[in-house]
Amino acid sequence: MSSSVDPLGEPAIEGALAADHFYVDEGAEAPDAQGMPAELVSVFDNLPVMVCCMDFGAEVPVLYWNRECERCSGYSAAEIVGNPGALQLLYPEPLYLARKTADIVAQGPHFRGLEWTLTSKAEGKRRIAWSSVDGLAGPDGKRWCLGLDITAHSESHRQLRDRDKLLTSVFRHLPDMVYLKDGDGRWLLANPTARAVLGLAEQDGRSSSSLEVVEPSRPAAIDMDHSALTEEATWQSGRISHVQEASDDGHGNLRYYDVIRVPTFGRRGQRLHLLVVRRDVTDQRIAATKLELAGRVLEQSTDGIIITDADNRIIMVNAAFSEITGYQAEEVLGRDPKFLASGQHDKAFYAQMWSVLAGQGRWSGEIWNRRSNGEVYPQWLSLSALRQRSTEEITHYVAAFSDLSSRKAAEEKIAYLSSKDVITGLPNRAQATLQASLALKHAELNNDRVALIVIDVDNFKNLNDSLGHSVGDQLLREIGARLLGQARERTMVGRLSGDEFMVLLPGVHGTTEAAHAVRALMDLLGQPVVLGDLPVNISVSAGIAMFPSDGGDFDTLFGRADAAMFAAKRKGRAAYQFASALMNEAAIDRLQIEAALRRAIDNQALRLEYQPLVHLASGRIVGAEALCRWDDPERGAVPPGLFIPIAEDCGLIEALGGWVLKTATQQLRQWHDAGHTEMMMAVNLSARQFQRGVVLQQVEDALVASGIAPDRLELELTETVLLHDGDAVMATLRRLKALGTKLSMDDFGTGYSSLAYLRRFKFDKIKIDRSFVCDLIDDPDNAAIVRGIISLAQSLGLSVLAEGVETEAIAQRLRHLQCTFAQGYLFDRPLRPEAFGARLGAP
């Protein structure tokens, strides 16, 4: 291998040989080593460079070998000079020796800077740079050569080259952005990552203000103006800066960087270089945020959480764990969670749990554990095994559990409530039915007679409305307690619904004994009771059905007892009635009416009649009230007072009410089209429509289908509507009001809470009940009530309509009291649509 190394001291040596010790004519043969003067030999031996005389064509190739040659090679002159195999000692590899010899021959008699790797006697490799001495080359092939040991120099160069390659490779492949600027802000170096992110061209020596970008259409992902300000601050401080920076990447995404800036200064304090290392830590920041969020979720979770290592030793618990178990974190870390076990599960349970966990990676189920205070409680436990992705080895177990104590208590309460009446604590209807059915089966097996008694409190609704629901509940509890206190062995007492109770008396010998028992109960219940600090006298009505003569099963027996109770009420209340065949026929008749009504609704066999609503002062018809009529083919005209309650009881009122709204609004549309655009339509709403939550949709559908203005539709509702689920009803009324419809309070004055509802919700009209209007002339009290209602309405800005006006005298009195509207037989009975239309057209 050739080299550019020029052996040190070669010209000086050549001069000494030529001038000071030998006279050499041009072309004269140089003296051999054996003929050298001693002075010259002494000079050569003491030179710090290798000097030798070589004859590559002779049998003995080395003619002279100075001391430096001996030191470097480890071979003495005696071992080398005159030794035919000297070159094989120095260069044991034949191919290497032949190649190097060929290099010397190719360069001719004069050669310079040939590097040879010499093998020293101590088996070491040394690199020698050889040059021939021009003045001492002879024609016989002898060469005087000078050599320099450059082993250390070459090794140093090699290490520098290797280090440079390593640093270059590291610099090019660093994932961080690394760049170097001089003191004037010119870019000196930038690795590929920096150039890609900053948009730099691979050019040096350009100022930052004139940088070329790789993609001119894409801005740099770093805010360079802000970076320049931060760099200047680093120069000013004179210290290494380490900061966190955020920058928009040009696509609306925020990137975060960890930036180190290292300034270097000259001896005079001048700025030399600024090294910048910029690491994108966005992913790490996002991961840290997620980890922090996961930790917060874990800590704030209402479920207790335990994390263990692969050996099932607790390494972490959350706050909910401590709240549920009573153990603090420091008490449980490092322990096996089995110390929480309650002892209520056997080994087979845990073996199955761990088997599922090992096979499926998760297990969940109900388990009983123990708190720190020793209390055993139920929990819902979910276990998960976490595995290392590469090896599938389990690294951790995670347990999440919730305390089921409250849920269990709620389930027990629900179970209790499902069989017990909330107010009285007696068996509810379902439980009473079950117990009574079992008692009847037992009586059938023993040929026993049983009396089933249904008891209902007289005028309970009025009392409940007048004194309030809490007082009504107090009365129900008192009745339940009295019935239960009077019950003998095997007597069953239950509350069916509302103010209706049931008593089952087994072992009754006949109706006489049953009657005595019922009278005793009625006397007991009729005793005064203190309600809200007031003594109140109450009475009850009762119906009695006997097993097995009145029925062989509970449903039949109860139906007849219930019918008997209603018959007792019709007699004047505070009475009892035994079931009879006539009552049974009445029940069957009611079922037949229900079936016929269902068919009539399905076949649209019902019709509407319209009673005029009159402006009292002018006598002008301003609207109509829609009234439903049913003409049954077999029964003839069925009174609304009969079929409307049946429709409400059997769930037909929803369909019936929707049909009435749709039909009435379409009729109003026809009258509007005929020119009577000021006409209004009043439609009654049932409490059951509100309970089923269909009113709003039915009104909206009717308005859309007919196209009438919402303020032309007046919806009439009684206080009964407002008594059921008041908040929900009020919400519906507000939405109806928002539609623009008018709202009217029907039968005003008959309930205790009407004024309260007027205060809570603004109606548009009050209808005075006919019971006050019919005796307006003859009864001063009724006159005072009517006067008060009209005055109240006027103060609230409401319209007033009087129902049941049948004489001109009553009408005149209402005009005097400034009542605005009226309806009644004085003006017209309910009319069919054609007759009503003709009435509108009459002069």
Side-chain angles (χ1 to χ4, degrees):
M1 178 174 71
S2 63
S3 174
S4 61
V5 178
D6 194 339
L8 297 175
E10 181 180 337
I13 296 173
E14 291 183 358
L17 291 173
D20 298 335
H21 301 284
F22 289 99
Y23 174 77
V24 182
D25 288 333
E26 191 178 75
E29 182 177 350
D32 58 17
Q34 291 83 356
M36 285 194 306
E39 295 86 350
L40 188 58
V41 172
S42 176
V43 172
F44 284 177
D45 279 345
N46 289 285
L47 283 175
V49 296
M50 299 173 68
V51 180
C52 65
C53 182
M54 308 289 290
D55 187 350
F56 292 98
E59 181 179 354
V60 180
V62 181
L63 304 177
Y64 176 72
W65 195 251
N66 76 342
R67 292 178 182 173
E68 182 66 14
C69 289
E70 290 179 337
R71 188 190 65 78
C72 291
S73 67
Y75 292 101
S76 65
E79 293 175 289
I80 298 299
V81 175
N83 183 357
L87 293 179
Q88 283 73 22
L89 291 175
L90 298 172
Y91 308 103
E93 298 179 7
L95 291 177
Y96 181 80
L97 178 61
R99 181 163 56 82
K100 288 299 184 180
T101 303
D103 289 342
I104 292 176
V105 174
Q107 292 199 20
H110 306 295
F111 57 87
R112 287 180 178 274
L114 289 179
E115 288 191 16
W116 287 48
T117 300
L118 177 147
T119 302
S120 67
K121 189 175 183 180
E123 300 298 331
K125 299 287 186 179
R126 288 186 176 273
R127 296 178 64 83
I128 310 297
W130 292 102
S131 296
S132 64
V133 182
D134 294 343
L136 297 179
D140 55 358
K142 294 178 182 178
R143 301 284 188 276
W144 281 92
C145 302
L146 301 180
L148 188 64
D149 186 351
I150 60 171
T151 303
H153 182 72
S154 296
E155 180 63 20
S156 177
H157 270 279
R158 185 191 65 77
Q159 290 179 355
L160 288 175
R161 287 194 303 275
D162 291 347
R163 187 177 301 169
D164 183 63
K165 289 180 180 179
L166 177 62
L167 291 176
T168 300
S169 177
V170 171
F171 184 71
R172 290 184 61 83
H173 294 93
L174 270 177
D176 299 337
M177 290 174 276
V178 182
Y179 51 91
L180 185 69
K181 289 184 177 183
D182 65 13
D184 296 324
R186 290 188 294 268
W187 297 83
L188 300 178
L189 291 173
N191 71 340
T193 303
R195 290 198 301 272
V197 175
L198 300 177
L200 300 174
E202 194 168 359
Q203 296 185 13
D204 298 336
R206 302 182 66 92
S207 67
S208 59
S209 62
S210 59
L211 286 174
E212 295 183 14
V213 294
V214 178
E215 296 177 341
S217 61
R218 177 181 60 82
I222 304 296
D223 186 346
M224 299 306 297
D225 293 335
H226 176 75
S227 181
L229 293 175
T230 310
E231 290 171 2
E232 180 61 28
T234 303
W235 282 118
Q236 293 290 342
S237 69
R239 296 190 299 273
I240 296 174
S241 67
H242 187 179
V243 296
Q244 290 272 336
E245 295 181 359
S247 181
D248 193 309
D249 65 356
H251 300 286
N253 303 314
L254 202 61
R255 307 294 297 181
Y256 298 91
Y257 299 92
D258 189 59
V259 186
I260 298 175
R261 293 182 174 89
V262 183
T264 57
F265 299 87
R267 293 182 179 179
R268 297 186 301 276
Q270 71 275 24
R271 299 178 180 182
L272 294 181
H273 302 98
L274 182 67
L275 176 66
V276 181
V277 180
R278 185 182 292 272
R279 172 171 295 178
D280 190 333
V281 294
T282 305
D283 294 340
Q284 295 93 314
R285 188 183 179 100
I286 293 174
T289 301
K290 289 182 178 179
L291 186 61
E292 180 185 359
L293 180 60
R296 292 173 60 186
V297 171
L298 186 70
E299 193 59 28
Q300 296 181 14
S301 172
T302 56
D303 287 348
I305 297 176
I306 306 172
I307 301 178
T308 72
D309 58 17
D311 297 325
N312 206 31
R313 298 291 175 183
I314 297 175
I315 61 175
M316 195 189 81
V317 295
N318 67 344
F321 167 87
S322 298
E323 293 177 5
I324 295 173
T325 66
Y327 288 100
Q328 299 303 311
E330 57 271 15
E331 298 179 79
V332 302
L333 294 179
R335 299 178 66 180
D336 191 308
K338 64 183 180 183
F339 75 89
L340 298 169
S342 65
Q344 295 194 10
H345 303 286
D346 56 18
K347 292 182 179 180
F349 173 85
Y350 291 106
Q352 189 272 343
M353 180 183 76
W354 283 103
S355 175
V356 172
L357 183 61
Q360 301 179 10
R362 60 182 60 249
W363 178 90
S364 60
E366 185 176 312
I367 190 171
W368 290 76
N369 277 333
R370 190 180 301 276
R371 306 187 206 271
S372 61
N373 61 4
E375 177 190 351
V376 175
Y377 69 103
Q379 62 178 217
W380 184 263
L381 176 65
S382 296
L383 293 175
S384 299
L386 305 185
R387 299 180 183 272
Q388 195 173 41
R389 293 184 178 179
S390 57
T391 62
E392 289 296 316
E393 292 183 0
I394 293 177
T395 59
H396 299 87
Y397 294 102
V398 178
F401 62 92
S402 56
D403 189 345
L404 296 181
S405 300
S406 299
R407 178 179 170 184
K408 289 288 187 182
E411 289 176 352
E412 292 176 1
K413 185 175 181 180
I414 290 172
Y416 173 82
L417 294 177
S418 66
S419 62
K420 297 292 184 180
D421 173 56
V422 178
I423 297 176
T424 64
L426 297 175
N428 59 16
R429 187 184 191 95
Q431 186 66 15
T433 300
L434 176 61
Q435 292 182 9
S437 298
L438 294 175
L440 293 176
K441 289 182 179 179
H442 183 269
E444 183 179 7
L445 293 174
N446 293 278
N447 294 319
D448 201 358
R449 300 184 70 182
V450 177
L452 178 63
I453 306 168
V454 174
I455 299 174
D456 187 87
V457 181
D458 295 333
N459 298 314
F460 178 77
K461 181 180 182 301
N462 291 336
L463 184 145
N464 196 44
D465 293 346
S466 301
L467 300 181
H469 294 287
S470 60
V471 174
D473 291 345
Q474 181 185 350
L475 174 60
L476 294 176
R477 282 191 291 271
E478 179 64 24
I479 292 174
R482 291 182 181 184
L483 290 174
L484 200 58
Q486 185 72 6
R488 61 191 186 187
E489 187 180 0
R490 293 197 300 152
T491 298
M492 195 278 294
V493 179
R495 182 189 175 203
L496 302 179
S497 62
D499 58 333
E500 194 172 69
F501 294 82
M502 181 182 76
V503 177
L504 190 75
L505 297 176
V508 177
H509 295 95
T511 57
T512 301
E513 183 178 349
H516 284 301
V518 170
R519 279 196 295 267
L521 290 175
M522 294 177 68
D523 290 342
L524 174 66
L525 299 178
Q527 294 177 8
V529 58
V530 178
L531 300 176
D533 298 329
L534 294 175
V536 177
N537 292 313
I538 63 170
S539 65
V540 298
S541 298
I544 312 166
M546 300 297 296
F547 172 85
S549 59
D550 291 326
D553 58 81
F554 174 78
D555 291 336
T556 303
L557 207 62
F558 172 76
R560 294 181 177 178
D562 196 48
M565 182 269 295
F566 279 107
K569 281 186 175 292
R570 286 194 295 270
K571 282 187 174 182
R573 307 178 187 274
Y576 66 90
Q577 176 74 45
F578 279 93
S580 67
L582 183 61
M583 295 176 191
N584 187 43
E585 291 175 2
I588 295 174
D589 186 58
R590 187 183 186 281
L591 292 176
Q592 291 174 345
I593 293 175
E594 178 184 330
L597 178 60
R598 192 179 301 274
R599 289 193 301 270
I601 293 175
D602 292 340
N603 298 328
Q604 297 185 352
L606 290 92
R607 59 183 175 83
L608 293 184
E609 290 185 353
Y610 302 93
Q611 185 170 28
L613 306 180
V614 178
H615 184 260
L616 272 174
S618 63
R620 179 170 50 89
I621 297 177
V622 295
E625 180 179 1
L627 301 171
C628 190
R629 296 293 185 259
W630 177 26
D631 297 321
D632 185 65
E634 297 180 0
R635 299 174 181 269
V638 182
L642 176 61
F643 73 80
I644 294 297
I646 293 176
E648 290 180 332
D649 291 342
C650 65
L652 293 174
I653 196 64
E654 179 179 342
L656 180 58
W659 174 82
V660 170
L661 275 168
K662 183 177 179 182
T663 304
T665 52
Q666 288 177 344
Q667 180 61 65
L668 183 61
R669 172 81 271 167
Q670 294 178 19
W671 290 334
H672 282 185
D673 293 342
H676 308 289
T677 56
E678 297 303 316
M679 281 283 294
M680 295 188 63
M681 181 64 72
V683 177
N684 288 281
L685 296 180
S686 167
R688 295 297 176 91
Q689 287 175 274
F690 279 87
Q691 292 172 8
R692 293 175 178 269
V694 299
V695 168
L696 184 64
Q697 188 62 52
Q698 288 180 340
V699 171
E700 290 177 343
D701 292 345
L703 291 173
V704 171
S706 65
I708 66 171
D711 63 353
R712 297 293 87 193
L713 177 62
E714 185 176 277
L715 303 174
E716 296 186 2
L717 56 153
T718 64
E719 187 181 343
T720 306
V721 173
L722 303 173
L723 289 174
H724 296 280
D725 197 6
D727 292 338
V729 170
M730 284 298 175
T732 302
L733 292 179
R734 290 189 182 93
R735 297 188 65 180
L736 289 172
K737 193 72 173 174
L739 286 177
T741 60
K742 302 294 185 181
L743 298 178
S744 174
M745 172 72 80
D746 199 6
D747 299 336
F748 186 81
T750 60
Y752 92 100
S753 58
S754 297
L755 295 178
Y757 284 114
L758 287 179
R759 179 174 55 84
R760 291 181 59 191
F761 192 86
K762 183 175 177 58
F763 285 85
D764 297 286
K765 182 185 289 183
I766 292 176
K767 296 186 72 174
I768 304 175
D769 188 69
R770 66 180 64 249
S771 62
F772 301 115
V773 175
C774 64
D775 292 330
L776 180 61
I777 303 297
D778 301 327
D779 191 336
D781 291 337
N782 277 357
I785 292 174
V786 171
R787 184 185 304 108
I789 292 174
I790 294 174
S791 177
L792 172 66
Q794 290 175 345
S795 66
L796 294 175
L798 308 181
S799 300
V800 182
L801 184 145
E803 297 180 301
V805 179
E806 299 184 358
T807 67
E808 180 59 35
I810 293 177
Q812 188 59 35
R813 185 63 179 273
L814 289 170
R815 293 187 188 98
H816 177 73
L817 294 175
Q818 298 183 348
C819 180
T820 312
F821 304 103
Q823 69 181 109
Y825 286 179
L826 173 64
F827 308 104
D828 243 327
R829 294 175 178 273
L831 303 172
R832 291 177 180 265
E834 314 84 53
F836 195 99
R839 179 81 164 77
L840 289 176

